[in-house]
Amino acid sequence: MCGLFGTRGHPEVASSVIKGLQDLSYRGYDSWGIALQSGQELHVVRDIGLVPESPQLPTISSSLAIGHTRWSTHGEPTIANAHPHTSVDGKIAVVHNGIINNYQSLKDSLPHISFKSDTDTEVVAHLLDEACKGGLSLTEALRQVASRLSGRFALLVIDSRDDCLLAYRQGSPVVAGTDGTRQWIASDTFALSRCCEEGIYLEDEQLLVADATGMHLYNGSGESIPIHAEPISSQSSAHKKEGYDHFMRQEMDEQAAVIHRTTQAWDREQPLLPMPFVQNLKRIIILGCGTSWHAGLVAEYWLENLAKIPVEVEYASEFRYRDPLIYSNDCIIAISQSGETADTNAAVSVAKEKGATVIALCNTPGSTLTRMADTVCPTHAGMEIGVASTKAFTTQLTVLYQIALWLAERKNLLNSNSCDEKHLALRQVPEAVKKALKADSEIKAIAADYQHHNNALYLGRGLHFPIALEGALKLKEVSYVHAEGYPAAEMKHGPIALIDEEMPVVVIAIQDHTYEKVLANIAEIKARRGKVIAIGLAGDEHLRSQCDHMIAVPALPTELLPFVTVVPLQLLAYHIAVYRDCNIDKPRNLAKSVTVE
Ligand code: AGP
């Protein structure tokens, strides 16, 4: 995880790094640090917590700096473990994103050095120092040291004696930009977009040097290679809380607009997959993590019912380590808001090595995932700042439903009239989401009643089982309340033992073919004095009479109802977290983008 930002060639390097780190804090925010070069010295400032708006920095003139915002892997979030890490003489500073798997054996090879931190990073500063003392240039030292490191990592390095900024990529993203004299290097284009218009994306084993003569790129053998810059779009303007207390709440309200935008942007005629491939398509494997995995579980129903293609939905982290069987007529759909989730990207690499065709659903243009995929389907959620995903999820659903229709139409399972009707129905979703959001104050009142409960169960069936999982995940993430999602029928196979008057159970009870069964589950909960908060269709007075609270959602065609049943669960988690005084947008221990395995 962690965000890296470095810059050289101008007098505002300190403020540029601080702004860059603020943009990158979604990658981790438990501590931060900066190293500024001035007069052949490095000045390092580090602290715990989020990068402050205006940190106290030394008043020195500097035109070379690197910075870091951290999500701890090795060592607690303390000042000693915060980056940058330096060589013993303080002349070389390093910031790092990722994990160096063999750091312990490398540390053991330096018994004469007394390490100041528990990190896997510090060893890099010492190894660079030894290599430079052995006569290597900093660039050659970095190339040689990097070749000794195993794992996925990105490094930025500066030396107090050299006016150059070095970057190395092995598995973790690095993108650089310049306006001719000034240069910037960051973990993503979002942080870079306020500085320059084009980005140079490093590939694995590439080393970039930024100095007074410009940018120079080298491959793993140290040979100079041509630089290719690509336009990057400015995304910074989306980064404002428009009168809301929290981004998460704002992003929930944005859902209607971004679902609409995602339907508008969909081109029904696009060549998503080549036709011969579609005709032979035997299986779809959906990969993702967390909320993105939940979106995949909803899509499993749509793809199997509409396009009649068998679907497997897999945790990306498990998929990659079980030597999966992949055939040339399998299609992978990889889902990721950030496009930088290490587990998902690593699983996609495995699938690609085995010859799979990959469609990426992603909310971040230019991210690593989009660069690996054969076809990219953007979700047009706009920048999502809240760590708890809301609008990214519903735009993922929007694209997935459209992919199911695209396949069904190509396979002649839906004629163009039926397909038109389904697209038209999808266009009703934004209005329905707006209506579902109107239950806000009612849900706030329910949240007030349940704010002190430390456990909750979420039940749903069919399309709403993944929504139950998503509701439970939202509550866990933002309010630190233990919550579990289950298929409603599974309750009697174990979780029912948990039910007593202290256990709130959120039940999604929609009038579909499982409705009577879900009502029976509600009766079983009530018989054990559990508290039932039901999510049901507006007008379902029978359901209302069977439970302690009912939150009504507007009607939609049955297959589209997950778009609205998820909304009250987002609101419930949000309000409980607000009552519990939690850090809504940056919950403890989390990061927006999980860039380590
Ligand atoms: C969602 O609320 C979570 N923050 C988390 O589960 C997230 O969905 C997961 O880490 C995957 O992220 P991605 O979509 O960026 O790949």
Side-chain angles (χ1 to χ4, degrees), residues 248 287-294 335-342 344-345 361-364 369 384 386-390 392-393 396 470 473-474 477-478 587 590-594:
M248 183 187 177
L287 302 175
C289 304
T291 289
S292 296
W293 181 72
H294 296 158
I335 310 175
S336 175
Q337 188 285 128
S338 60
E340 300 296 352
T341 298
T344 306
N345 292 351
L361 248 79
C362 190
N363 197 41
T364 312
L369 177 63
E384 191 179 61
V387 164
S389 191
T390 53
F393 176 69
Q396 286 168 350
E470 177 61 7
L473 178 66
K474 289 287 88 84
E477 277 185 297
V478 294
L590 293 174
K592 183 68 184 159
S593 176
V594 184

Side-chain angles (χ1 to χ4, degrees), residues 267-278:
D267 176 4
R268 280 174 64 178
E269 304 311 321
Q270 66 183 296
L272 198 57
L273 293 167
M275 271 318 284
F277 184 82
V278 173

Side-chain angles (χ1 to χ4, degrees), residues 100-420:
I100 296 165
N101 295 333
N102 59 338
Y103 79 100
Q104 192 58 54
S105 61
L106 293 168
K107 260 175 109 166
D108 294 345
S109 73
L110 301 171
H112 51 290
I113 289 178
S114 140
F115 280 76
K116 293 167 283 188
S117 77
D118 303 319
T119 65
D120 54 338
T121 307
E122 188 186 342
V123 70
V124 177
H126 300 310
L127 289 171
L128 287 172
D129 190 35
E130 302 252 317
C132 289
K133 285 188 173 134
L136 296 183
S137 67
L138 187 63
T139 305
E140 191 49 26
L142 177 57
R143 199 176 69 76
Q144 291 203 4
V145 168
S147 71
R148 295 177 63 192
L149 310 179
S150 73
R152 294 164 58 85
F153 53 87
L155 298 164
L156 298 187
V157 178
I158 57 172
D159 184 315
S160 64
R161 299 149 292 196
D162 263 342
D163 177 24
C164 74
L165 168 60
L166 270 56
Y168 188 90
R169 176 194 158 125
Q170 178 59 55
S172 298
V174 178
V175 56
T178 181
D179 65 358
T181 49
R182 299 177 294 176
Q183 295 128 335
W184 302 271
I185 307 182
S187 298
D188 72 14
T189 51
F190 175 61
L192 218 58
S193 64
R194 65 163 93 235
C195 311
C196 50
E197 289 166 3
E198 290 192 326
I200 302 154
Y201 294 86
L202 269 64
E203 303 289 342
D204 285 351
E205 292 183 22
Q206 287 183 349
L207 189 157
L208 185 109
V209 179
D211 63 21
T213 63
M215 299 265 217
H216 309 278
L217 190 60
Y218 301 93
N219 65 16
S221 317
E223 294 154 351
S224 173
I225 50 174
I227 287 184
H228 171 63
E230 298 173 30
I232 50 177
S233 53
S234 171
Q235 299 161 36
S236 305
S237 58
H239 198 168
K240 290 194 189 81
K241 245 184 272 171
E242 311 278 1
Y244 287 85
D245 291 335
H246 306 104
F247 281 114
M248 183 187 177
R249 185 67 192 81
Q250 176 179 341
E251 287 160 359
M252 280 186 246
D253 273 2
E254 285 168 10
Q255 290 183 106
V258 296
I259 293 168
H260 175 71
R261 186 157 79 200
T262 306
T263 58
Q264 295 289 105
W266 184 258
D267 176 4
R268 280 174 64 178
E269 304 311 321
Q270 66 183 296
L272 198 57
L273 293 167
M275 271 318 284
F277 184 82
V278 173
Q279 274 145 8
N280 287 317
L281 182 55
K282 291 282 178 295
R283 180 171 67 150
I284 292 175
I285 301 170
I286 301 183
L287 302 175
C289 304
T291 289
S292 296
W293 181 72
H294 296 158
L297 290 174
V298 176
E300 181 177 18
Y301 289 85
W302 289 334
L303 289 161
E304 292 199 340
N305 289 343
L306 295 165
K308 305 291 178 214
I309 302 168
V311 175
E312 288 168 24
V313 188
E314 302 236 20
Y315 282 120
S317 52
E318 289 299 313
F319 175 85
R320 73 165 295 211
Y321 283 111
R322 63 171 178 72
D323 196 14
L325 293 176
I326 297 174
Y327 303 104
S328 58
N329 46 12
D330 286 339
C331 174
I332 302 285
I333 301 182
I335 310 175
S336 175
Q337 188 285 128
S338 60
E340 300 296 352
T341 298
D343 287 323
T344 306
N345 292 351
V348 167
S349 295
V350 168
K352 278 184 73 86
E353 274 162 26
K354 290 175 181 262
T357 296
V358 178
I359 298 178
L361 248 79
C362 190
N363 197 41
T364 312
S367 59
T368 304
L369 177 63
T370 64
R371 302 170 69 75
M372 292 164 86
D374 298 291
T375 304
V376 177
C377 294
T379 48
H380 295 272
M383 187 81 186
E384 191 179 61
I385 307 285
V387 164
S389 191
T390 53
K391 62 176 181 169
F393 176 69
T394 41
T395 53
Q396 286 168 350
L397 293 186
T398 310
V399 172
L400 288 163
Y401 186 72
Q402 292 175 120
I403 291 177
L405 295 183
W406 189 96
L407 286 167
E409 198 174 8
R410 295 303 176 289
K411 290 184 72 193
N412 293 322
L413 295 165
L414 277 181
N415 63 32
S416 99
N417 280 349
S418 320
C419 206
D420 287 352

Side-chain angles (χ1 to χ4, degrees), residues 32-36 43-46 66-68 79-86 93-96 121:
W32 65 279
I34 182 171
L36 297 153
H43 299 259
V44 175
V45 176
R46 302 182 294 177
I66 54 174
H68 187 267
I79 293 180
N81 289 330
H83 301 213
H85 292 284
T86 51
V94 175
V95 290
H96 159 224
T121 307

